[in-house]
Amino acid sequence: MSQAPAIPEATRRRHDREIVALAVPAFGALVAEPLFVMADSAIVGHLGTAQLAGLGVASALLTTAVSVFVFLAYATTAAVARRVGAGDLPAAIRQGMDGIWLALLLGVGIIAVTLPLAPGIVDLFGASATAGPYATTYLRISSLGIPAMLIVLAATGVLRGLQDTRTPLYVAVGGFVANAALNAGLVYGAGLGIAGSAWGTVIAQCAMAVVYLTVVVRGARRHGASLRPDAAGIRASAQAGAPLLVRTLSLRAVLMIATAVAARLGDADIAAHQIVLSLWSLLAFALDAIAIAGQAIIGRYLGAGDTAGAREACRRMVQWGIATGVALGLLVVIARPFFLPLFSSDPTVKDIALPALLIVALSQPISGVVFVLDGVLMGAGDGPYLAGAMVVTLAVFTPVALLVPAFGGGLTALWAAMTLMMVTRMLTLWLRTRSGRWIVTGATR
């Protein structure tokens, strides 16, 4: 990629318009999940440090339970976009419906596992005796919203593949407003404490799923796509997403290891880690907005057989990723004095979180490249390579993170290990995009 000729001005402007048209609405939809967590953190944080620490453990577990199945959105986006490029809309939507049925089945299975095993799972991840009961309460209640969140992922993938990121934006904004209002009312107005926060989130998630289903079902009927579950189609969706499942499991393992290490550092450290991780997740989703545009654009170009357009779009999106990362890093540095008091009044928690926030700020340009290239390769359907690259990254990160407590390192050292993880990801993804082996044309890969 570094040796490629410069993109002509007219082509660059065309790519910019496409990226902005898809990425700006996608940003609003992508930040819904971290904003849900941040709203919960801000509301629960003022109940006490133990409650915030419990939320930190439970929300990390719930985010993992949902995010390991993010292939429901990403694989569907790429597959639908390819068929859009090839001009086959009915088949594109039928694939999306298979993904939605798969999402429902997976969500029910997760509830069946989480409800009885919640206390043991919380203990496994090192929650203290004071934070553990709060984590268990939040985990059990919030798990009831997992099927809705998985349906949202699958339906979002269908719409993104159809080059529609505006509808997910509208749903996300409505969901966030409802979540914040419900949480505040149930936690303080109804006096339900951390349980009220969990119930508010579940209600908001279910409402979002209903809206998405309404939109997708109308589209399916308009294009003559069947709404009935198809066993072969559901199996095909699961098989297509398997490499991305491995990739995402490895990434979530990184985040869970980081949370487990922080929990063993003490309640103040895990509370500070929850604040930093909430911001890191928000920034990551902001950068991933460009990657979402990349999935839809790259998939469409490859489906239409336009390899030159795919290469040019990839280069331009990397430039966007770097510039956005620099801007976000500067924003974190400027806003940190105002950000921390929103989540905790405990001076110890704020002192621990501050240097870790600075590390997050410095690493944002690296993150910009990582998320963009990740999205480009997803759009190309290059799941097997993404899976292998993330397994390598996990192997590099794990021993470094586990050594942090052994050598007396604190939260700052843990977030330095997180930056090493991002550097490793950047190198593996750059090598792949530079090779050109990800470029495969056609309605299917």
Side-chain angles (χ1 to χ4, degrees):
M1 289 177 59
S2 60
Q3 297 177 349
I7 304 174
E9 181 67 21
T11 302
R12 185 166 64 248
R13 288 179 179 176
R14 175 167 56 83
H15 286 312
D16 287 348
R17 286 194 297 270
E18 281 191 314
I19 293 168
V20 170
L22 291 171
V24 172
F27 169 75
L30 283 166
V31 300
E33 183 181 340
L35 283 177
F36 273 33
V37 176
M38 291 179 72
D40 290 357
S41 299
I43 293 170
V44 172
H46 292 287
L47 292 174
T49 299
Q51 287 90 334
L52 182 58
L55 174 64
V57 173
S59 64
L61 289 164
L62 286 163
T63 302
T64 298
V66 173
S67 295
V68 292
F69 300 111
V70 75
F71 71 84
L72 292 166
Y74 290 162
T76 303
T77 298
V80 171
R82 275 183 178 267
R83 292 194 180 275
V84 168
D88 192 355
L89 284 176
I93 297 177
R94 177 62 254 183
Q95 273 190 309
M97 290 304 304
D98 291 335
I100 290 173
W101 281 109
L102 177 61
L104 179 60
L105 293 173
L106 292 172
V108 172
I110 292 172
I111 290 178
V113 171
T114 303
L115 287 179
L117 298 181
I121 295 172
V122 167
D123 289 341
L124 179 64
F125 285 91
S128 68
T130 54
Y134 296 113
T136 300
T137 296
Y138 192 93
L139 179 60
R140 277 182 164 157
I141 297 172
S142 293
S143 68
L144 300 176
I146 288 177
M149 283 305 297
L150 296 188
I151 289 172
V152 166
L153 286 176
T156 299
V158 178
L159 297 179
R160 289 173 183 166
L162 295 171
Q163 318 293 296
D164 176 11
T165 56
R166 291 184 178 273
T167 300
L169 169 63
Y170 301 146
V171 177
V173 170
F176 171 70
V177 172
N179 178 70
L182 285 166
N183 281 7
L186 293 174
V187 170
Y188 296 111
L192 297 180
I194 196 169
S197 177
W199 280 117
T201 300
V202 168
I203 294 170
Q205 289 167 344
C206 290
M208 291 172 67
V210 169
V211 174
Y212 271 116
L213 285 174
T214 301
V215 173
V216 174
V217 167
R218 285 177 180 173
R221 288 174 173 168
R222 186 165 57 250
H223 292 285
S226 174
L227 298 174
R228 295 179 180 178
D230 177 69
I234 293 172
R235 283 196 303 270
S237 294
Q239 290 168 358
L244 290 181
L245 177 60
V246 174
R247 169 257 181 202
T248 306
L249 281 171
S250 300
L251 176 58
R252 297 311 307 180
V254 166
L255 300 180
M256 294 306 297
I257 289 169
T259 298
V261 170
R264 284 166 172 77
L265 295 174
D267 280 1
D269 289 88
I270 185 59
H273 178 72
Q274 171 64 16
I275 294 171
V276 177
L277 185 61
S278 296
L279 177 63
W280 186 85
S281 298
L282 175 62
L283 297 174
F285 278 98
L287 291 169
D288 209 24
I290 305 171
I292 294 300
Q295 290 177 34
I297 293 169
I298 294 295
R300 193 187 73 235
Y301 275 129
L302 294 180
D306 187 354
T307 60
R311 287 181 182 274
E312 290 169 353
C314 177
R315 290 200 300 273
R316 189 56 179 161
M317 282 182 285
V318 169
Q319 294 168 2
W320 273 77
I322 294 172
T324 305
V326 170
L328 290 175
L330 291 174
L331 182 61
V332 171
V333 172
I334 294 170
R336 70 190 190 280
F338 311 100
F339 177 79
L340 288 173
L342 293 175
F343 295 91
S344 179
S345 56
D346 188 332
T348 302
V349 172
K350 291 189 285 188
D351 288 344
I352 293 172
L354 180 59
L357 282 177
L358 294 177
I359 291 177
V360 169
L362 291 173
S363 68
Q364 285 310 293
I366 296 171
S367 296
V369 176
V370 168
F371 284 99
V372 167
L373 293 183
D374 200 48
V376 165
L377 295 182
M378 284 184 188
D382 201 14
Y385 181 84
L386 289 171
M390 198 61 228
V391 169
V392 169
T393 301
L394 175 62
V396 172
F397 170 78
T398 301
V400 176
L402 294 178
L403 286 173
V404 168
F407 284 90
L411 193 66
T412 302
L414 178 60
W415 277 92
M418 290 286 287
T419 301
L420 172 65
M421 178 270 294
M422 295 301 290
V423 171
T424 305
R425 289 186 71 191
M426 182 178 68
L427 291 175
T428 57
L429 297 175
W430 177 78
L431 288 172
R432 184 62 168 183
T433 52
R434 189 171 183 270
S435 74
R437 295 177 182 175
W438 54 280
I439 298 179
V440 178
T441 60
T444 59
R445 184 179 173 91

